[in-house]
């Protein structure tokens, strides 16, 4: 989007009033326009304040009851899937928070505004193997217990084969498929400390020449905390200057004064431009290779409408 | 990994009683850096947070309710005592992550529980009996589950699993919280809205509540007022219409506050069942700003939220 279009899109004046009793923090959707891998997980960096990540960092363990003297006797194995961060992944999430200046937040199955469905399954096991599955479908990391498990029960020989297979080619894949809402942000510009703007402008009660107004605006811009995404530096500055001019109005004789009505309605975070796609549904699949030492990988894609 | 169970502080109970009828806001969980508990803001007190533990582990708080495993000859008997668990150290980390003190984190009491389901591939075996409740009660209560068998074929197998990681169960729990009934963005050309009301005013410049509702609906159809959902842009029209209907009184209040005063002097005639009466405000001014006005309408409601938590049937 070029500079002209961006300026045009913000020309329409607007005033935001909030009648709600509870001020709500921004709750942006995951931004699929900027996906980053954090170890085994996928994160969605958004300029709007929240970087969501999918907390699926899985590995497995196989634990089988000891063999007995009778090969025909039944034995069983518990194939457990664990979901927890490694220390490196935990550190990487902290680093991501620092480097992006956003809050890094785990998506959860309880967050129905963003997560639509969580579908998880073990592979199908051979005939003759009884299975007892237990799957949580919560997207929560759980350091103390398994995220999912399946009991496999069969004759002793079959269980021995399962143990061997787990160590070599693996027993198949455990999949966690999460459908969620997302968006793709092209450009975003917001003033994060608009209360400063409100305070400064409310004190300007005089009339100012065009030059004085320009100097006031430049001084204000230097003190603002701004989130700019998809903007070149000079582009950002031009848009900010144009936006701050909106708070001034012609009085008379080429003099400008601050419109205090507009100033009063500034909220603490003043969004100037939020250029994004319409929300869409995406599917992220975390696939765990069920073998000794196997770890999960996560891939995400937009679902065709 | 050993867990240090949360000591149930009397203080927490005291705070809970003071917070009578206070609920967590369950629209969005508060970010807690990926720790395995869901944390929600308190509806009323911004410093208080509620958490719901995600798993039930073998009891370790004291010696009163330990799980026990008896194996004698060909008989195995296991009695599980469990409790929803949260580590002190994790609560400290979570409190730090959300910028509060651990004392401000309070456990949500489950309203009800159901569908306790366990891995039970021994169900077809002879002489294996499972006894477990379908409900687990309050999160602090003991969860009694027992397994007994004298089937020699399964004794060693079952004992192995109970002492090496345990068998897995899940249970559905429900708890009360408040959720946003609606969060709507209203955009209106106030100047046009005022003109329409002015043109169609009743005698003596009065408007009645029921008529204001009708006019607002007409203005919405003509898109002089537009209402969209701030929660979910992919919401269906039917759902959106329900929320707009629920917000009708709030919308009326927003409009009347800007343009009307309560009428002090009412005319004669049949005015029953028409609601409150309003007259135009003399100080309402048409302005460029009022060409495009935006505001938010928001409301909460109490509802039951369900969650699935895990239970690990193990000796320790």
């Amino acid at each position: 989007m070029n500079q002209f279009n961006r300026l045009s899109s913000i020309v329409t004046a607007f005033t935001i009033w909030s009648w709600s009793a509870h001020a709500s923090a921004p709750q942006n959707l995951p931004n699929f326009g900027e996906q980053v891998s954090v170890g085994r997980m996928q994160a969605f960096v958004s300029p709007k304040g929240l970087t969501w990540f999918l907390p699926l960092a899985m590995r497995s363990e196989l634990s089988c009851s000891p063999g007995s003297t009778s090969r025909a006797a039944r034995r069983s194995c518990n194939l457990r899937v664990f979901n927890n961060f490694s220390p490196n992944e935990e550190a990487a999430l902290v680093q991501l928070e620092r480097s992006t200046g956003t809050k890094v937040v785990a998506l959860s199955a309880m967050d129905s505004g963003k997560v639509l469905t969580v579908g998880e399954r073990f592979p199908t096991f051979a005939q003759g193997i009884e299975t007892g599955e237990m799957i949580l479908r919560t997207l929560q990391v759980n350091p103390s217990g398994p995220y999912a498990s399946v009991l496999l029960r069969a004759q002793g020989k079959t269980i021995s084969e399962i143990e061997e297979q787990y160590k070599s080619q693996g027993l198949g894949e455990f999949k966690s498929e999460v459908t969620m809402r997302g968006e793709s942000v092209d450009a975003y510009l917001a003033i994060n400390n608009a209360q400063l703007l409100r305070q400064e402008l409310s004190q300007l009660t005089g009339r100012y020449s065009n030059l004085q107004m320009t100097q006031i605006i430049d001084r204000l811009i230097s003190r603002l905390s701004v989130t700019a995404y998809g903007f070149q530096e000079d582009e950002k500055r031009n848009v900010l200057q144009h936006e701050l001019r909106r708070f001034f109005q012609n009085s008379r004789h080429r003099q400008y004064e601050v419109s205090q009505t507009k100033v009063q309605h500034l909220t603490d975070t003043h969004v100037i431009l939020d250029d994004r796609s319409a929300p869409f549904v995406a599917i992220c699949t975390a696939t765990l290779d069920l073998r000794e030492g196997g770890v999960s990988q996560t891939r995400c894609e937009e679902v065709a409408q | 990994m050993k867990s240090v169970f949360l000591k149930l502080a009397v203080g927490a109970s005291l705070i809970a009683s003071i917070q009578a009828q206070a609920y967590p806001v369950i629209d969005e969980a508060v970010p807690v850096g990926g720790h395995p508990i869901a944390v929600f803001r308190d509806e009323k007190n911004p410093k208080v947070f509620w958490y719901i533990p995600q798993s039930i582990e073998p009891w370790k708080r004291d010696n009163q309710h330990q799980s026990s495993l008896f194996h004698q000859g060909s008989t195995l008997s296991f009695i599980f005592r469990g409790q929803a668990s949260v580590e002190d150290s994790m609560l400290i980390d979570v409190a730090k992550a959300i910028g509060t003190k651990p004392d401000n984190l309070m456990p949500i009491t489950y309203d009800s529980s159901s569908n306790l389901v366990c891995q039970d591939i021994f169900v077809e075996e002879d002489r294996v009996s499972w006894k477990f409740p379908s409900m687990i009660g309050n999160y602090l209560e003991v969860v009694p589950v027992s397994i007994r068998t004298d089937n020699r074929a399964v004794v060693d197998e079952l004992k192995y699993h109970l002492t090496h990681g345990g068998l897995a169960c899940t249970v559905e729990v429900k708890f009360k919280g408040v959720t946003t009934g609606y969060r709507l963005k209203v955009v209106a050309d106030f100047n046009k809205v005022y003109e329409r009301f002015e043109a169609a005013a009743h005698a003596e410049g009065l408007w009645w509540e029921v008529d204001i509702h009708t006019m607002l609906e007409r203005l919405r159809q003509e898109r002089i007022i537009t209402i969209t959902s701030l929660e979910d842009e992919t919401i269906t029209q039917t759902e959106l219409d329900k929320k707009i209907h629920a917000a009708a009184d709030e919308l009326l209040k927003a409009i009347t506050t800007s343009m009307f005063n309560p009428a002090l002097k009412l005319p004669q005639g049949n005015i029953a069942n028409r609601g409150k009466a309003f007259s135009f405000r003399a100080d309402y001014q048409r302005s460029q700003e009022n060409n495009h006005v935006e505001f938010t309408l928001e409301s909460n409601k109490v509802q039951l939220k369900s969650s699935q938590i895990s239970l690990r049937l193990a000796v320790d």
Side-chain angles (χ1 to χ4, degrees):
Chain A
M1 189 190 210
N2 61 35
Q3 181 179 332
F4 174 76
N5 287 341
R6 282 187 192 147
L7 285 175
S8 300
S9 73
I10 59 168
V11 161
T12 306
F14 68 91
T15 307
I16 297 176
W17 292 350
S18 177
W19 293 84
S20 59
H22 307 281
S24 301
Q27 293 289 339
N28 52 271
L29 291 175
N31 176 24
F32 278 72
E34 191 165 339
Q35 289 184 53
V36 297
S37 294
V38 182
R40 292 165 283 179
M41 302 176 284
Q42 283 292 105
F44 310 93
V45 180
S46 174
K48 300 184 192 180
L50 294 179
T51 288
W52 296 97
F53 73 94
L54 204 53
L56 288 171
M58 301 185 289
R59 61 176 179 83
S60 68
E61 283 180 9
L62 184 71
S63 168
C64 298
S65 61
S68 76
T69 51
S70 163
R71 292 175 74 189
R74 295 183 78 75
R75 288 174 62 199
S76 54
C77 296
N78 214 334
L79 178 58
R80 295 186 181 92
V81 173
F82 293 90
N83 186 28
N84 39 42
F85 311 142
S86 67
N88 284 346
E89 283 164 339
E90 201 157 349
L93 287 171
V94 171
Q95 179 54 30
L96 185 65
E97 196 162 275
R98 283 198 198 118
S99 64
T100 59
T102 59
K103 194 86 182 154
V104 172
V105 186
L107 286 160
S108 159
M110 301 203 45
D111 185 354
S112 54
K114 294 171 190 64
V115 174
L116 298 170
T117 62
V118 180
E120 293 167 327
R121 62 180 187 275
F122 279 96
T124 304
F125 294 94
Q127 265 196 328
I129 300 175
E130 287 174 73
T131 55
E133 272 187 10
M134 201 54 58
I135 297 175
L136 273 182
R137 292 189 185 87
T138 61
L139 293 183
Q140 290 273 344
V141 291
N142 185 2
S144 60
Y147 181 68
S149 60
V150 60
L151 265 180
L152 308 170
R153 196 157 184 258
Q155 286 194 327
K157 179 171 178 271
T158 308
I159 293 295
S160 298
E161 285 166 0
I162 285 176
E163 284 178 298
E164 279 310 307
Q165 198 175 332
Y166 180 74
K167 285 177 189 164
S168 54
Q169 71 261 41
L171 298 172
E173 291 176 334
F174 175 80
K175 281 186 192 288
S176 179
E177 287 175 342
V178 180
T179 61
M180 49 202 267
R181 287 196 181 88
E183 63 182 9
S184 190
V185 179
D186 289 330
Y188 182 79
L189 187 64
I191 298 172
N192 303 316
N193 60 342
Q195 62 273 33
L196 171 75
L197 193 61
R198 193 169 58 231
Q199 195 183 326
E200 295 286 319
L201 287 174
S202 64
Q203 289 170 5
L204 297 174
T205 51
R207 293 198 176 96
Y208 308 95
S209 66
N210 191 32
L211 178 63
Q212 285 172 322
M213 180 182 67
T214 304
Q215 288 170 341
I216 290 169
I217 286 173
D218 285 345
R219 202 165 50 242
L220 281 170
I221 288 175
S222 69
R223 298 178 60 196
L224 292 177
S225 162
V226 173
T227 297
Y229 181 87
F231 281 86
Q232 303 288 336
E233 193 57 36
D234 55 346
E235 226 176 1
K236 177 184 95 175
R237 188 167 189 82
N238 286 341
V239 174
L240 283 170
Q241 283 170 341
H242 182 94
E243 176 66 10
L244 293 191
R245 275 175 190 273
R246 287 181 45 247
F247 291 95
F248 289 83
Q249 58 195 12
N250 276 326
S251 57
R252 56 181 180 184
H253 303 311
R254 295 182 188 174
Q255 294 268 296
Y256 296 88
E257 60 182 4
V258 174
S259 164
Q260 295 298 338
T261 311
K262 287 181 187 168
V263 172
Q264 281 163 22
H265 295 129
L266 268 174
T267 52
D268 290 353
T269 300
H270 179 59
V271 177
I272 300 169
L273 181 70
D274 183 2
D275 188 9
R276 57 190 161 92
S277 66
F280 51 78
V281 174
I283 182 164
C284 290
T285 305
T287 305
L288 172 64
D289 188 8
L290 291 169
R291 65 180 169 81
E292 197 171 68
V295 292
S296 61
Q297 283 186 326
T298 305
R299 287 199 171 79
C300 299
E301 56 187 4
E302 186 179 338
V303 172
Q305 298 295 321
Chain B
M1 178 196 241
K2 292 218 167 192
S3 296
V4 175
F5 287 91
L6 175 68
K7 294 188 177 85
L8 177 61
V10 171
S13 301
L14 183 61
I15 291 170
S17 66
I18 291 168
Q19 292 269 337
Q21 296 308 306
Y23 295 115
V25 178
I26 55 179
D27 289 331
E28 300 260 2
V30 174
V32 293
H35 286 291
I37 52 171
V39 174
F40 304 94
R41 295 182 190 282
D42 185 76
E43 177 195 8
K44 292 176 184 166
N45 187 338
K47 292 183 185 169
V48 171
F49 296 85
W50 298 87
Y51 67 87
I52 175 167
Q54 296 302 312
S55 63
I56 294 177
E57 293 286 311
W59 188 287
K60 279 186 183 168
R61 173 183 294 173
D62 52 40
N63 295 326
Q64 285 188 359
H65 300 290
Q66 280 180 326
S67 296
S68 50
L69 182 69
F70 299 106
H71 180 199
Q72 193 168 8
S74 61
T75 303
L76 184 77
S77 186
F78 172 66
I79 300 170
F80 172 78
R81 301 277 195 255
Q83 182 195 2
S85 74
V86 139
E87 296 175 22
D88 271 345
S89 57
M90 183 172 67
L91 278 186
I92 290 168
D93 285 346
V94 165
K96 194 174 164 188
I98 59 181
T100 190
K101 298 176 190 170
D103 285 347
N104 287 336
L105 289 172
M106 301 211 291
I108 294 175
T109 302
Y110 303 148
D111 219 65
S112 64
S113 63
S114 59
N115 299 329
L116 178 61
V117 175
C118 298
Q119 284 176 312
D120 182 8
I121 58 171
F122 306 99
V123 68
E124 300 280 317
E125 292 284 348
D126 287 336
R127 306 194 309 276
V128 177
S129 102
W130 285 69
K131 284 183 187 166
F132 51 86
S134 58
M135 295 166 32
I136 62 166
N138 188 295
Y139 97 107
L140 289 174
E141 288 178 12
V142 167
V143 182
V145 177
S146 69
I147 304 170
R148 291 194 81 245
T149 182
D150 59 2
N151 183 331
R152 193 182 290 271
V154 306
V155 162
D156 288 335
E157 204 180 333
L158 203 42
K159 184 180 175 184
Y160 175 83
H161 287 303
L162 292 172
T163 52
H164 290 78
L167 300 176
C169 306
T170 56
V171 64
E172 298 278 339
V173 294
K174 284 189 163 60
F175 58 95
K176 280 197 181 115
V178 293
T179 184
T180 305
Y182 53 78
R183 200 153 74 91
L184 302 167
K185 180 169 102 170
V186 182
V187 178
D189 180 342
F190 264 28
N191 293 327
K192 276 193 187 162
V193 171
Y194 190 89
E195 279 162 18
R196 292 292 295 273
F197 273 108
E198 206 176 27
H202 295 270
E204 298 175 51
L206 291 176
W207 274 90
W208 271 263
E209 213 169 20
V210 68
D211 301 319
I212 296 177
H213 274 300
T214 306
M215 175 60 97
L216 289 177
E217 181 52 32
R218 193 172 303 143
L219 293 174
R220 208 169 66 78
Q221 286 164 11
E222 295 175 21
R223 300 192 65 78
I224 293 172
I225 298 175
T226 61
I227 304 180
T228 51
S229 169
L230 279 172
E231 303 165 68
D232 179 357
E233 293 182 25
T234 61
I235 195 174
T236 63
Q237 190 58 47
T238 311
E239 281 301 312
L240 180 60
D241 286 344
K242 280 185 199 168
K243 288 179 189 279
I244 293 172
H245 181 76
D249 286 342
E250 286 295 315
L251 178 63
L252 182 138
K253 192 173 155 187
I255 299 291
T256 53
T257 305
S258 303
M259 297 180 191
F260 295 95
N261 284 320
L264 297 174
K265 203 171 159 186
L266 296 177
Q268 303 295 321
N270 182 15
I271 57 171
N273 300 322
R274 295 173 78 183
K276 295 178 197 164
F278 297 89
S279 58
F280 286 105
R281 280 174 61 168
D283 62 348
Y284 175 81
Q285 287 184 352
R286 290 173 180 74
S287 65
Q288 195 178 357
E289 286 95 343
N290 283 339
N291 277 344
H292 186 114
V293 173
E294 289 185 13
F295 54 93
T296 304
L297 301 176
E298 190 172 1
S299 156
N300 292 336
K301 64 179 182 185
V302 178
Q303 73 172 40
L304 275 178
K305 181 95 171 175
S306 62
S307 178
Q308 188 181 54
I309 63 173
S310 67
L311 188 156
R312 190 169 66 87
L313 283 186
V315 174
D316 55 24

